[in-house]
Amino acid sequence: MFHLHPEDRTAADVTGADLRAAVVADLDADDPARRDYVDVHLPELDLSALVVDGDDVGHLTFRDVTVDGTLDLTGAVVRHPIAIEDAEIGRLVADRASFEMEVTVEESVIGKSAGGTALRAHRGSFDRSFQIAATRFEGRVDLAAGRVVGWLSFDDTTVVGGAHFPNLAVGTAQFVSTTFESGAEFAGTTADLVTFQDVAVSEDAPLELAEGRFEELRVRPAGDLRCRLAEATVSAGRLDQPDEGVAAYDLTDATVGDVDIDCDADSFDRYRFYRTGFDDFPFASYHTVLRDNRWHIHEYVHEPEQPVTVEGLEQTYLEAKQGAADVGDSETGSMFFVRELRYRRRRYAAHARAATHSTSHRVDAAARWVTNGFLDLIAGYGERPQRTAFLALAVILGCAAAFPATEGLVAGDEVVTYASHGVAAVVDSLYFSIVTFATLGLGDVHPIGTLGRFIAAFEGLVGAFLTAVFVFSLGRRVTR
């Protein structure tokens, strides 16, 4: 009855139930050739809730088959390998179906019109593999909450409608030379290894990998691509740029492990690190790029979906600092630490200006803003000992220039002022300034008058403070 012309099948009053019964009979037959359906034209084929189990594991093949409507495998349990080759199927449905052997679809056209559902396998389970090659899906492909224990592959395939794979659990998946004309969604997907090689995605829709968990992820697009990895976890892999075009990766709130990124100083902003966590990310490999970008990692080539906030930027560099420290890259960690505290200073300033906060909170924020700025100025938060050294030199020289301009210094039997000694007064004044800054207190030279004594006292206090800050900062640098 399968090889009757559709008109003859109608005339013989062959129903869908008859076709289903014939398939069951073929599966139970001893002749494996009866499980090969070749050059068959059907209005639809309902195999839903069918347990496909024979005495052997020979292929169930649909070759050069046309199904005008739906090939329905909803709830079926199939223990034979299935091969669909050179077929035209209006709609393929396998919701909650279980396939215990390989499933392959090759050189076929699934779906009658763009926008409808071409393939749907909600909560479908594939214990071996689900391989699609050289196939065109005229509508949507939907494998929501599906499970592929072994291998999932889309090779040289076009999906005209949206590709929806949310909460998919897969062992290994590859998408090679595949075009997603309406975007591809893998939100919440978990996988051991996923590869996107020469994949093209519509400019109007991203490659959506948000909230996924990937032990290894490799992406090399064919052209322009926006890849959204917000809140995803990528333990290892590589995020590449195409030969022509721009691939932009949004890693907002993601966790990034040992992942290589394809960039230079001019293309680093194609990777957005914002509130991103780092777990074994190889910062040392990107020292030159980071240095050329002044250690900014949050800038992005596209307009971000989430607006940037001062609090978010502070968290961004806190996470980066901790990630760099965890891999022993103290130099990078120190740069991120400075960025973190500078954004914290901006947060203090914003809180001090905000009328919505209480007066005590605003005063406290203002005090913290002043303290933060002061620590940045004198020592770069303990990361720039050279700043402390330059400030110490400025204090010594400034005080040395000031002492002769007051009532002068007593050096031996002389009173040294600019009026009495001219520029030569700076020699004794510089000596006294150095001794005072170092708090040595030798006593052979001392100031005259109240102003001079206050300048000396101030310099002694500043000298003791700056010396302590310099030793602390230098110690941090040496330990690195």
Side-chain angles (χ1 to χ4, degrees), residues 89-127:
I89 300 174
R91 190 170 182 237
L92 179 57
V93 178
D95 293 345
R96 302 179 303 282
S98 177
F99 301 93
E100 298 184 5
M101 302 297 286
E102 298 85 359
V103 178
T104 60
V105 181
E106 297 181 354
E107 299 181 351
S108 299
V109 177
I110 313 293
K112 290 298 184 181
S113 61
T117 299
L119 167 64
R120 193 180 73 201
H122 286 179
R123 300 187 180 278
S125 177
F126 300 83
D127 291 349

Side-chain angles (χ1 to χ4, degrees), residues 206-271:
L207 176 60
E208 181 67 73
L209 305 179
E211 301 180 23
R213 297 185 65 86
F214 307 97
E215 291 300 318
E216 186 170 355
L217 174 66
R218 296 182 175 273
V219 182
R220 183 174 179 80
D224 290 341
L225 175 73
R226 287 189 297 119
C227 182
R228 188 170 179 270
L229 282 157
E231 300 184 54
T233 299
V234 184
S235 299
R238 182 171 178 84
L239 305 178
D240 272 316
Q241 294 295 319
D243 293 333
E244 294 184 4
V246 173
Y249 299 90
D250 186 352
L251 293 150
T252 300
D253 291 317
T255 300
V256 181
D258 187 10
V259 177
D260 294 328
I261 58 177
D262 180 14
C263 66
D264 54 26
D266 295 328
S267 61
F268 187 70
D269 62 353
R270 299 176 186 180
Y271 303 84

Side-chain angles (χ1 to χ4, degrees), residues 121 124 126 143-148 152 164-170 173 175 185-191 213-214:
F126 300 83
L143 298 180
R147 183 177 70 98
V148 184
L152 171 66
H164 300 280
F165 303 94
N167 301 315
L168 175 69
V170 61
F175 300 84
E185 178 189 359
F186 293 81
T189 291
T190 59
R213 297 185 65 86
F214 307 97

Side-chain angles (χ1 to χ4, degrees), residues 194-374:
V194 178
T195 300
F196 295 93
Q197 179 73 31
D198 294 328
V199 167
V201 182
S202 167
E203 294 182 2
D204 300 328
L207 176 60
E208 181 67 73
L209 305 179
E211 301 180 23
R213 297 185 65 86
F214 307 97
E215 291 300 318
E216 186 170 355
L217 174 66
R218 296 182 175 273
V219 182
R220 183 174 179 80
D224 290 341
L225 175 73
R226 287 189 297 119
C227 182
R228 188 170 179 270
L229 282 157
E231 300 184 54
T233 299
V234 184
S235 299
R238 182 171 178 84
L239 305 178
D240 272 316
Q241 294 295 319
D243 293 333
E244 294 184 4
V246 173
Y249 299 90
D250 186 352
L251 293 150
T252 300
D253 291 317
T255 300
V256 181
D258 187 10
V259 177
D260 294 328
I261 58 177
D262 180 14
C263 66
D264 54 26
D266 295 328
S267 61
F268 187 70
D269 62 353
R270 299 176 186 180
Y271 303 84
R272 190 195 190 208
F273 298 102
Y274 181 67
R275 300 198 302 256
T276 305
F278 298 92
D279 185 8
D280 289 333
F281 182 75
F283 285 101
S285 301
Y286 305 98
H287 272 180
T288 300
V289 173
L290 290 168
R291 188 178 296 108
D292 291 345
N293 281 276
R294 300 178 62 192
W295 309 95
H296 285 104
I297 63 173
H298 69 276
E299 295 174 348
Y300 193 46
V301 67
H302 294 303
E303 187 70 24
E305 294 182 9
Q306 297 184 15
V308 174
T309 65
V310 174
E311 289 82 358
L313 291 173
E314 181 184 349
Q315 181 183 347
T316 295
Y317 290 94
L318 170 62
E319 296 282 2
K321 176 196 71 176
Q322 292 176 339
D326 288 343
V327 296
D329 190 349
S330 55
E331 178 186 357
T332 301
S334 70
M335 299 299 109
F336 290 148
F337 173 66
V338 171
R339 289 289 172 198
E340 174 201 353
L341 291 186
R342 287 179 178 171
Y343 285 115
R344 184 176 300 175
R345 184 164 79 238
R346 293 188 186 182
R347 175 165 62 86
Y348 290 149
H351 283 212
R353 293 192 300 265
T356 55
H357 292 302
S358 66
T359 301
S360 61
H361 180 89
R362 295 174 65 183
V363 170
D364 179 70
R368 291 175 182 269
W369 175 78
V370 171
T371 302
N372 184 298
F374 177 69

Side-chain angles (χ1 to χ4, degrees), residues 67 69-72 88-94 105 109-121 130 135-143 158-162 164:
V67 179
T70 300
L71 173 55
D72 192 352
E88 293 186 14
I89 300 174
R91 190 170 182 237
L92 179 57
V93 178
V105 181
V109 177
I110 313 293
K112 290 298 184 181
S113 61
T117 299
L119 167 64
R120 193 180 73 201
F130 185 23
T135 293
R136 182 177 179 86
F137 294 93
E138 292 292 349
R140 292 192 300 272
V141 173
D142 194 343
L143 298 180
T158 298
V159 181
V160 176
H164 300 280

